[in-house]
Amino acid sequence: MSKSWGKFFCLTVFLYFCAMQRNTNILAHVTAFVTAAVWGTTFISTKVLILNGITPVQIFTLRFALAYMLIVALSLAFPSMMGHQGRFRWFANSWRDEILMLALGVTGGSAYFFTENEALRFGTATNVSLIVCSCPLFTTILFCLLVKGTRLTTAQMVGAVLAFLGMVAVVLNGHFVLRLSPLGDSLAFCACLCWAIYSVLMKFAADKYSASFITRKVFFYGLLTILPYFLFVPGFPSVSSLMRPTVLFNLLFLGVVASLVCFVVWNWALSRLGAVVVTNYVYINPITTILFAWWILNEKITPYFMMGSLMILVGLYLSNRHHH
């Protein structure tokens, strides 16, 4: 299809946000949307780094290490701006809260990225995308089961199902052949469950701590809990290989933009809108992945993509319009 389809989609997104203007949390919605869109493009940088000889776990470790060092530096230099109420602190208020931060670092960091990357080794990209991108449904189910007083309206349930079906249409993109891979699919399901648990746990953490503090702890515990992997699979890229312009640029993008900035603003949006609403924006990931491939790699945009994208946007509108 011609690039006019891309312009049409961008217009659709603009109209979507116009329809959301009554929502007093419009900035939080836009933030969640843009963050999900950025995460949908990270596959390009990850693929480039893999082609340059860096493994997925090494990529995760490098991007989280870079993000952690930067957020610590910013928190020390500007404690008030980073939400530390005028003072910097290393630990949470209690050991129970510190364990909660550890759980966030595992579910939103090491365990999530490890299981997702390993799933791609043993399963197909289509299967992994379908399973991982279905995490909003699991988040909604977990939230209703674990958080007292959570109820969904009929419109929200219809919206959630519509967005899910739209995501399936986008990922399959007209190719309906799915190859089962028990190990790969199980790992993808684990990644999906990790992100759902992370989203629910954020509800409890965001009530007490700022988004930047939580994000810093996620980076720290994500790094700490991935280190045992290197006992079994030793080795790390050389400094000279990391300093190559292409490698350095993509690492900076993943570490600074996709990790540091995106995690902080995503956690902020979670604290404003709640896990059920924000996690629905994960459905945007496959849309931006295909749009990025269309823009950079000149891949075709199909009618299935257009139909699925519109279903996702309508589903998100129905799911989110009652949250103010």
Side-chain angles (χ1 to χ4, degrees), residues 157-167 308 310-312 314-315 318:
M157 288 188 285
V158 170
V161 173
L162 189 62
F164 174 77
L165 293 176
M167 180 274 297
L310 290 174
M311 288 170 66
I312 289 172
V314 171
L318 290 174

Side-chain angles (χ1 to χ4, degrees), residues 30-319:
V30 173
T31 298
F33 184 98
V34 172
T35 302
V38 171
W39 281 339
T41 66
T42 56
F43 84 102
I44 293 287
S45 291
T46 301
K47 188 172 182 179
V48 169
L49 292 174
I50 290 172
L51 291 174
N52 278 273
I54 306 175
T55 68
V57 174
Q58 291 170 351
I59 294 169
F60 164 77
T61 305
L62 287 165
R63 66 185 279 189
F64 262 46
L66 176 60
Y68 180 68
M69 288 187 291
L70 286 173
I71 199 169
V72 167
L74 288 170
S75 297
L76 287 169
F78 310 102
S80 296
M81 187 183 77
M82 296 298 289
H84 292 290
Q85 299 176 340
R87 61 186 179 87
F88 178 86
R89 58 180 175 179
W90 288 105
F91 300 104
N93 294 331
S94 67
W95 64 267
R96 287 187 178 86
D97 287 351
E98 197 66 27
I99 291 175
L100 174 61
M101 299 300 166
L102 169 62
L104 286 168
V106 172
T107 55
S110 55
Y112 170 76
F113 282 95
F114 177 78
T115 51
E116 183 184 49
N117 290 329
E118 290 299 302
L120 288 169
R121 282 183 56 200
F122 298 103
T124 65
T126 300
N127 284 32
V128 173
S129 296
L130 278 174
I131 296 170
V132 172
C133 286
S134 65
C135 73
L137 280 183
F138 288 94
T139 301
T140 301
I141 293 169
L142 280 178
F143 213 81
C144 290
L145 290 174
L146 300 177
V147 180
K148 193 174 180 180
T150 302
R151 297 182 185 277
L152 298 180
T153 65
T154 301
Q156 288 171 321
M157 288 188 285
V158 170
V161 173
L162 189 62
F164 174 77
L165 293 176
M167 180 274 297
V168 172
V170 168
V171 172
L172 293 179
N173 205 22
H175 305 287
F176 298 103
V177 179
L178 291 176
R179 295 186 183 131
L180 294 178
S181 170
L183 180 56
D185 294 348
S186 297
L187 286 166
F189 177 77
C190 288
C192 170
L193 195 58
C194 279
W195 193 256
I197 293 171
Y198 172 82
S199 300
V200 173
L201 290 177
M202 269 297 300
K203 157 70 178 172
F204 304 103
D207 289 340
K208 298 182 180 179
Y209 301 96
S210 68
S212 62
F213 178 83
I214 296 169
T215 304
R216 175 159 58 83
K217 303 301 285 189
V218 168
F219 291 153
F220 174 77
Y221 284 117
L223 280 171
L224 188 67
T225 53
I226 201 65
L227 292 180
Y229 172 87
F230 293 100
L231 296 176
F232 301 95
V233 186
F236 217 70
S238 65
V239 175
S240 59
S241 65
L242 295 177
M243 288 299 106
R244 292 199 300 266
T246 301
V247 173
L248 185 60
F249 171 80
N250 285 284
L251 277 176
L252 287 172
F253 170 72
L254 291 174
V256 178
V257 179
S259 294
L260 175 61
V261 176
C262 284
F263 264 85
V264 170
V265 297
W266 181 264
N267 290 339
W268 173 79
L270 277 171
S271 69
R272 291 296 301 272
L273 300 174
V276 173
V277 174
V278 172
T279 309
N280 276 333
Y281 283 104
V282 170
Y283 289 134
I284 298 296
N285 278 358
I287 297 179
T288 53
T289 297
I290 292 176
L291 278 178
F292 204 76
W294 157 77
W295 182 37
I296 301 297
L297 306 176
N298 292 317
E299 293 187 4
K300 292 182 178 180
I301 289 179
T302 68
Y304 297 100
F305 169 80
M306 297 302 302
M307 178 186 68
S309 298
L310 290 174
M311 288 170 66
I312 289 172
L313 292 176
V314 171
L316 287 175
Y317 174 73
L318 290 174
S319 296

